[in-house]
Amino acid sequence: MDNFKVLKKSKKTRGRISQLRTEHGLIETPVFMPPATKGYLKGLDTLDIENAKSQIILVNTYHLYLKPGDLYIKKHMGIHKFMNWNKPILSDSGGFQVWSLNQRKGKKLVKISEEGVEFSSFIDGSKHFFTPEKSVKIQHNLGVDILMAFDQCASDELNISDSEKILNKTNRWLLRNISEHEKLNKKNTTNKLLFGIAQGGRHILLREKAINFMKDLNIDGLALGGETIGYNMKETKLLLDKVYHTLPSNKPIYTMGLGGNPQDMVDVIILGVDMMDCVNPARLARHGELFVGKLDLKSFKIKSNVKDNILRISQSKFKNDKNPIDKDCDCFTCRNYSRAYLRYLYLMNETLYLRLATIHNVHFSNMIINKLKDFIKNE
């Protein structure tokens, strides 16, 4: 079954409009996936997320496995029923969490071998072991639409030799991911999708090696992972530009963990990326940083009269400001509340601020992407 279809290619950029078919409906890309990491997006219910124009959300295998448990969620008819979200869900495989745990200096929380990864729970210190097969089983138990292959993330600081060792292991693990996924799809008569992850750090030759390895495998999408992506936008854009002609045109391209602000999303969409996710829009909102600005479709830059296109709501100049966060935004928050009121809620540490601010940042991110999509459609 062909699950991916390119509908329109941009004449001025590498951007494109595509459709990805999942068990819970079609996704029109480019698309931002707000992370509901532990089965919830802080402060929002699923209707809020849907009203913010989100087509798909992301959950995390590692966190849901530890609590409340994948088998527990399976007993509750899967993650969609459990959290009352009827649209597509993608699950991160836990590979990034393995890497980030291993970065904690002075603590040996992770042991990586050819077979898999042993790690200690951050909740109670208990020992656990993830293999590619186990990660895939957990994701099938969760009932998500799109699974990510279990991989080993690489630090940007590694030299090319050490990065290649990690890349080769990730590629060997990918074959095991695919085998287990195909077996479970057949056993359960499902059509869940599996994406592979290309590692290689900043080393362009290794990234190309990873992409070429995946091209003819039975996977439904290709992700670019690792520390480079999203954390270092200069390197991210350079990487995307260099590997563009190696990327398969018949599969969705996903930059993992990217989307810290709407400009980052625009920058990678015009370089050919279809999917992205990041916790930052929600996290920044909680800390009083709200997105503003208007997308200039000539320069593909978001422009406003505030630094970094971020309005810092705690500033005293907003005490009597009756304007919405952004006059061009049509989110629930901007249609109903002033900057002055939001500043008051924030300073009072009121939980209502959390909801209203997060609604805005998620909606604003989707709004900017939709404006860029409309531009591509009408070229």
Side-chain angles (χ1 to χ4, degrees):
M1 183 176 182
D2 189 3
N3 297 299
F4 184 69
K5 182 180 181 182
V6 178
L7 303 178
K8 177 78 182 291
K9 294 181 180 180
S10 173
K11 298 175 183 177
K12 297 181 179 179
T13 73
R14 293 171 178 169
R16 59 183 183 175
I17 307 295
S18 306
Q19 275 186 352
L20 178 62
R21 183 181 301 277
T22 76
E23 290 185 323
H24 282 83
L26 292 173
I27 303 163
E28 184 182 79
T29 70
V31 65
F32 168 64
M33 303 177 285
T37 304
K38 300 178 182 179
Y40 54 85
L41 179 51
K42 287 184 180 180
L44 305 191
D45 62 26
T46 48
L47 183 58
D48 287 332
I49 302 172
E50 185 173 358
N51 287 341
K53 309 299 183 185
S54 295
Q55 302 179 66
I56 174 175
I57 60 173
L58 177 147
V59 298
N60 187 274
T61 300
Y62 168 86
H63 286 287
L64 291 177
Y65 161 78
L66 289 177
K67 194 172 185 177
D70 55 303
L71 294 179
Y72 175 85
I73 290 174
K74 186 177 181 180
K75 287 180 181 178
H76 287 266
M77 300 178 68
I79 190 66
H80 292 85
K81 292 286 185 182
F82 189 56
M83 65 180 295
N84 190 33
W85 174 259
N86 298 317
K87 293 186 175 186
I89 298 177
L90 178 147
S91 54
D92 197 354
S93 64
F96 177 80
Q97 281 64 41
V98 167
W99 173 80
S100 60
L101 280 171
N102 223 18
Q103 304 308 301
R104 298 183 183 182
K105 295 181 179 179
K107 294 184 179 181
K108 294 183 178 180
L109 299 177
V110 175
K111 293 180 181 179
I112 303 173
S113 65
E114 183 64 33
E115 182 60 22
V117 177
E118 180 185 83
F119 62 91
S120 299
S121 167
F122 73 96
I123 298 172
D124 58 12
S126 58
K127 297 287 186 180
H128 301 270
F129 194 76
F130 266 21
T131 64
E133 293 82 1
K134 183 169 183 177
S135 176
V136 167
K137 285 178 183 177
I138 293 168
Q139 293 178 79
H140 271 267
N141 286 339
L142 294 175
V144 299
D145 301 273
I146 304 172
L147 298 79
M148 297 306 301
F150 188 64
D151 65 329
Q152 184 178 349
C153 186
S155 170
D156 276 356
E157 296 176 0
L158 293 180
N159 60 40
I160 191 167
S161 177
D162 289 338
S163 290
E164 188 166 25
K165 289 176 183 176
I166 289 175
L167 167 61
N168 290 337
K169 185 184 293 177
T170 289
N171 286 349
R172 292 192 296 271
W173 283 2
L174 177 56
L175 298 178
R176 292 165 59 188
N177 279 282
I178 293 171
S179 177
E180 185 67 20
H181 175 65
E182 290 176 343
K183 183 175 73 176
L184 291 174
N185 252 351
K186 184 176 181 180
K187 176 183 177 182
N188 300 322
T189 61
T190 53
N191 185 39
K192 300 187 183 305
L193 311 182
L194 175 70
F195 284 21
I197 304 174
Q199 290 293 345
R202 296 178 180 177
H203 309 291
I204 303 298
L205 290 176
L206 294 186
R207 293 286 187 171
E208 291 177 337
K209 176 181 177 180
I211 294 165
N212 284 324
F213 177 81
M214 284 190 262
K215 275 186 175 179
D216 296 323
L217 297 179
N218 186 24
I219 56 174
D220 303 285
L222 191 150
L224 296 170
E227 188 180 12
T228 304
I229 304 301
Y231 288 82
N232 183 333
M233 281 305 299
K234 182 179 178 181
E235 291 286 342
T236 298
K237 290 188 284 186
L238 176 64
L239 173 66
L240 287 169
D241 188 54
K242 294 291 186 181
V243 304
Y244 175 74
H245 294 291
T246 310
L247 294 168
S249 61
N250 62 340
K251 296 183 191 297
I253 306 302
Y254 169 25
T255 44
M256 303 184 73
L258 188 147
N261 62 64
Q263 185 63 61
D264 291 351
M265 301 180 200
V266 172
D267 288 345
V268 298
I269 289 170
I270 62 177
L271 288 172
V273 169
D274 303 296
M275 303 169 70
M276 63 220 79
D277 79 278
C278 190
V279 298
N280 256 18
R283 180 180 288 163
L284 290 175
R286 296 195 296 271
H287 290 88
E289 298 187 2
L290 306 172
F291 297 150
V292 293
K294 190 170 185 178
L295 179 61
D296 180 349
L297 292 169
K298 292 183 179 179
S299 64
F300 300 108
K301 297 296 181 183
I302 299 171
K303 299 180 178 180
S304 72
N305 59 359
V306 300
K307 184 181 179 182
D308 301 324
N309 301 318
I310 291 178
L311 186 149
R312 292 160 177 85
I313 198 64
S314 64
Q315 293 178 341
S316 59
K317 65 182 178 181
F318 300 123
K319 182 177 181 179
N320 296 306
D321 194 332
K322 297 179 181 179
N323 292 301
I325 300 169
D326 187 282
K327 63 182 178 62
D328 294 317
C329 179
D330 62 351
C331 76
F332 174 78
T333 304
C334 286
R335 285 187 283 110
N336 292 282
Y337 298 98
S338 68
R339 294 174 176 179
Y341 184 62
L342 290 166
R343 178 179 181 272
Y344 166 69
L345 293 178
Y346 179 76
L347 294 178
M348 293 298 291
N349 200 28
E350 168 54 45
T351 55
L352 176 57
Y353 168 80
L354 169 66
R355 174 173 178 257
L356 296 177
T358 306
I359 285 173
H360 170 76
N361 273 8
V362 173
H363 181 103
F364 189 91
S365 298
N366 289 326
M367 179 183 74
I368 291 294
I369 290 177
N370 287 337
K371 287 184 177 180
L372 184 54
K373 286 163 68 173
D374 288 341
F375 170 79
I376 295 172
K377 289 175 182 177
N378 296 318
E379 277 185 278

